[in-house]
Amino acid sequence: MHNQHTKQSPSAAACTPRSAFRPSPSYPLIALPPAPPPSTMLGKLSHSLPLPMHLALASASTAASVSTAVLSHMLDGPVRSSWNLLTTLTHAAMKSVMVNHPPQGRHSLGIVRLATQFSVPAFMFDASVEQTSVLVRHPEQVSALVKEALDVAQQPLTNTVDYAGMHTRYVPGEWVRHKSLGPLPADSVAASDEPVILYLHGGAHIFMSPRTHRVITSKISQACGASVFAADYRLALDGPFPSAIEDALACYLALTGLSLPTDDSGIACQASFRASQSRPSGAAPAIGHHRPVSPSRIFVMGDSSGGCLSLQLMQTLKSLNLPMPAGIAMLSPFLDHEIKSASFHNNWNSDFLSLDLDGIDWAMKIYANGLPRGHPAISPLNGKLWGLPPMLIQSGDSEVVTDDAVELQIYKDMFHVFHSDIPVHPQSSDAMDRIGQFVRTFGPSAERDVDSAVSVDSSETSSDTDDAASVSTPSSSRTRATHTSHCKDTCRHAASSILRAHQI
């Protein structure tokens, strides 16, 4: 197996090699800008202590925050009118974890690393899971073509990946299929009409994995009647931008059997699935291992930063003149890395993403990798948003990233990535049903306009709510007004103007 090296700018120290298949224990592997201190005195104190003492203090702080939130809920009412006591408790606990672990905190990166290694236990989801990986041929040419497509080939990046001498590399991932749909199918099903989902997980570009998102991917599989391939793409702390986009593109190529345009040497860049790692010897391979799947059957989906990666992938496909998927669904997408949206400040109390502002700024500089954070390759909301496939965006009106959507169905009182199976509100199930409806509407068996249509679901409480160009919002009665428009005409000014929300 080849090793992949991350190169830093001349002023940065040399970097330890990283396995092309799995990250090494060294972490992070890139040059980081100087970290600012935590903004609060408690944060400074807590992160100056040894890890066990920090965890004890953070646990006490979380217990106090949850107790206060529950007491306030009972005496003064919830933060948002539709929240029940369990919603308040869940929100308070998650918010306290975020407050106690600012991105720049001394212990935060280590804790993030542990969270990324976590796997959701089997009793929490009802799906079959199969580990596999995508074999990428000529990764150096893939990287060069992606940078050219994103218009960053001539930009000075702080960290780069050295692919010299590397003829192949691997992108890990896993197939997820809800048990109600039967076992993971063999490659012969590739000729059927069943949709296939390429899922790109969220985690602020720096943590989480397909294993942490199995509740969401299993629910999407059930709602859409589809097998889901969740890509374990490289994270920003050990695979600098645009590594994640290269990995997402490789997974799309492997699913479709497409090749990238040849370079001057005439070498075609391809990707394909390798033999399954979890099936018994001689067992039939999972769908997509051998037969390509038509792009008209594929939907690309992602939550939070994975939503951003989904849109970055669409812009890359468009620049490379490759066939688009049937549609794209983004759940609470984080598309504005300049963090200029009004919802980021207006929904600070109602979303749990209450991270240290200096820490967020520091983390976004890491992800931008030397590029301006407003560059369309970094903040795709600033890119050319026409000519894209049908698009569904769901967010909460209480999220800090609600303004990052193109057209949005806003779910009343919901916060960031409310789609998980945390029992906070029935609207999470409603959102999953709408994702399934979107796939059935634009999937392989549906007749649709070839132009790009956009539909978005958003919850008002989320900080990403302001990332929308047009919004349909679920009301407390949970009736729905669906607004669908052609991206070519309406999204041209999406980065600078927000259309009015239609409350559902």
Side-chain angles (χ1 to χ4, degrees), residues 16 29 34 59 63 67 129 173 208-209 232 244 259 358 435 496:
T16 306
L29 297 182
S59 298
S67 300
V129 177
M208 298 297 188
S209 75
D232 197 359
S259 298
D358 291 338
I435 293 173
S496 58

Side-chain angles (χ1 to χ4, degrees), residues 188-252:
S188 58
V189 181
S192 75
D193 229 17
E194 185 177 278
V196 176
I197 311 298
L198 171 58
Y199 193 83
L200 305 170
H201 68 84
H205 303 292
I206 61 173
F207 75 125
M208 298 297 188
S209 75
R211 299 176 300 280
T212 64
H213 279 62
R214 286 174 179 167
V215 169
I216 290 181
T217 52
S218 65
K219 288 167 70 69
I220 287 176
S221 174
Q222 181 184 30
C224 300
S227 295
V228 177
F229 180 72
D232 197 359
Y233 59 86
R234 286 170 289 178
L235 302 173
L237 291 176
D238 54 5
F241 176 89
S243 296
I245 303 174
E246 297 168 17
D247 292 352
L249 176 62
C251 293
Y252 186 76

Side-chain angles (χ1 to χ4, degrees), residues 149-352:
L150 296 172
D151 196 26
V152 298
Q154 306 304 319
Q155 299 284 344
L157 300 177
T158 305
N159 300 275
T160 58
V161 178
D162 184 5
Y163 294 109
M166 186 187 299
H167 302 294
T168 59
R169 60 175 301 272
Y170 296 102
V171 180
E174 62 183 34
W175 285 101
V176 178
R177 185 175 176 85
H178 196 270
K179 291 180 179 178
S180 64
L181 305 177
L184 284 161
D187 67 299
S188 58
V189 181
S192 75
D193 229 17
E194 185 177 278
V196 176
I197 311 298
L198 171 58
Y199 193 83
L200 305 170
H201 68 84
H205 303 292
I206 61 173
F207 75 125
M208 298 297 188
S209 75
R211 299 176 300 280
T212 64
H213 279 62
R214 286 174 179 167
V215 169
I216 290 181
T217 52
S218 65
K219 288 167 70 69
I220 287 176
S221 174
Q222 181 184 30
C224 300
S227 295
V228 177
F229 180 72
D232 197 359
Y233 59 86
R234 286 170 289 178
L235 302 173
L237 291 176
D238 54 5
F241 176 89
S243 296
I245 303 174
E246 297 168 17
D247 292 352
L249 176 62
C251 293
Y252 186 76
L253 295 178
L255 285 169
T256 60
L258 297 170
S259 298
L260 290 176
T262 58
D263 62 8
D264 294 337
S265 66
I267 298 176
C269 305
Q270 299 174 319
S272 60
F273 284 99
R274 67 182 297 190
S276 171
Q277 298 168 6
S278 56
R279 289 202 168 196
S281 177
I287 181 171
H289 276 283
H290 298 294
R291 289 191 179 186
V293 177
S294 168
S296 65
R297 291 175 50 201
I298 295 176
F299 288 81
V300 178
M301 301 185 185
D303 66 281
S304 194
S305 58
C308 175
L309 180 55
S310 299
L311 189 53
Q312 289 169 321
L313 174 60
M314 295 305 102
Q315 294 176 334
T316 302
L317 294 175
K318 184 173 70 171
S319 295
L320 294 172
N321 294 315
L322 290 172
M324 292 284 187
I328 171 177
M330 295 180 283
L331 318 182
S332 303
F334 182 26
L335 307 177
D336 173 23
H337 291 74
E338 293 181 286
I339 313 181
K340 290 183 175 180
S341 62
S343 64
F344 197 88
H345 304 282
N346 295 340
N347 292 332
W348 190 255
N349 291 326
S350 56
D351 200 2
F352 64 82

Side-chain angles (χ1 to χ4, degrees), residues 115-128:
T116 301
Q117 300 303 317
F118 172 76
S119 294
V120 173
F123 72 85
M124 294 186 65
F125 64 97
D126 191 23
S128 301

